Amino acid sequence: MAAVILLGPPGVGKGTQGVLLADALGWERIVTGDLLRAARRAGTELGEKARAYMDAGELVPDELVVALVEERLAKTSGETGVIFDGFPRNVAQAGELEAALDRHDRRVDRVLLLEAPDNVLEKRLTGRRSCPECGAVYNVYFNPPEREDVCDRCGRDGLVQREDDRPETVRHRLQVYRGETEPLVRYYEEAEAEVIRIDGDRAVDEIQEDVQVAAVGEPIS
Ligand code: AMP
């Protein structure tokens, strides 16, 4: 079954688009950031090892992330497509992914590259706040709650910012993206994978349409 990669800088909307795409197609998502955060919450050894890298906006060592992906991939149904979000993040991980997919009779069919200017990405990330109670997500610039710092949905007073969404860390994450992850565009182009560029600096539903067409080659009704 199909495997697509959502590639793009932090803050470009891979998470949002990945959920919409998975819902529309009934595909599964493999999101390494989420897997790592879950490992941290569960207090596993791997989660503990990953913590300092994540909070500093550095990449977690490949072997830890690859182990998580392999474990997750083994649980996928062979019947549905898979969307990778946040993985691979460098050329070594791309090689590991190819080998892992091969073992599951899959391959990378398409790479969807979401793009937006750095100033937009910085605002999206540094402005992001979430409710620790119900999980609702806001942005102080683009989608603020009605009352500052109070959740519209559940009334909780005190929204939180992800440690790695602080301004210095955000700038570092963007540098890491440009240095380590962006070279994957060339890598996949040279591997003759289909790389489809999508403007991520637009309304969610406009991007969604392009993402869906790019993923399956036609609009989904
Ligand atoms: P994300 O939610 O995708 O922005 O990921 C949050 C953090 O998790 C990143 O800044 C990295 O520290 C770590 N991370 C997520 N995916 C990977 C990956 N494929 N390789 C290394 N580190 C990762």
Side-chain angles (χ1 to χ4, degrees):
M1 272 305 288
V4 303
I5 296 175
L6 281 177
L7 190 65
V12 79
K14 301 187 296 296
T16 304
Q17 292 301 332
V19 169
L20 294 169
L21 184 62
D23 284 351
L25 296 173
W27 287 10
E28 295 184 60
R29 296 160 67 224
I30 298 186
V31 186
T32 45
D34 287 353
L35 293 172
L36 287 164
R37 281 183 288 275
R40 284 174 57 157
R41 278 196 302 276
T44 66
E45 198 185 330
L46 187 150
E48 286 310 313
K49 283 187 187 157
R51 182 181 300 275
Y53 296 98
M54 294 174 77
D55 288 347
E58 299 284 354
L59 293 187
V60 171
D62 293 343
E63 64 273 16
L64 300 182
V65 181
V66 169
L68 277 179
V69 170
E70 299 240 9
E71 192 185 299
R72 178 66 186 82
L73 203 51
K75 290 187 199 146
T76 54
S77 135
E79 309 297 307
T80 57
V82 176
I83 302 161
F84 288 93
D85 165 353
F87 185 86
R89 278 281 225 284
N90 59 29
V91 170
Q93 290 182 8
E96 296 280 356
L97 176 61
E98 243 163 69
L101 286 177
D102 208 43
R103 288 192 288 277
H104 291 271
D105 283 329
R106 296 183 191 259
R107 62 183 183 82
V108 175
D109 298 287
R110 283 150 189 229
V111 178
L112 279 46
L113 174 63
L114 288 166
E115 300 175 297
D118 275 7
N119 61 335
V120 173
L121 301 170
E122 279 185 28
K123 277 193 156 172
R124 285 197 190 162
L125 292 164
T126 58
R128 184 158 66 178
R129 300 288 183 279
S130 66
C131 174
E133 196 75 32
C134 73
V137 180
Y138 301 91
N139 186 293
V140 298
Y141 303 110
F142 305 121
N143 172 34
E146 264 175 43
R147 282 173 50 211
E148 195 179 324
D149 242 17
V150 176
C151 181
D152 291 343
R153 201 205 285 170
C154 75
R156 159 89 182 219
D157 189 352
L159 301 177
V160 293
Q161 183 176 40
R162 247 169 70 173
E163 186 68 36
D164 59 350
D165 281 343
R166 297 184 191 283
E168 322 73 59
T169 316
V170 161
R171 277 190 288 278
H172 187 62
R173 287 165 67 199
L174 289 171
Q175 281 168 1
V176 170
Y177 174 78
R178 302 284 175 219
E180 307 235 4
T181 310
E182 205 169 38
L184 285 175
V185 177
R186 277 273 300 273
Y187 172 91
Y188 281 116
E189 279 170 352
E190 282 172 5
E192 292 179 22
E194 201 174 344
V195 178
I196 302 149
R197 291 170 191 267
I198 297 167
D199 177 4
D201 187 13
R202 292 177 297 160
V204 169
D205 53 340
E206 288 175 50
I207 304 171
Q208 183 188 357
E209 256 183 64
D210 287 358
V211 165
Q212 295 188 351
V213 172
V216 292
E218 59 194 50
I220 304 161
S221 51

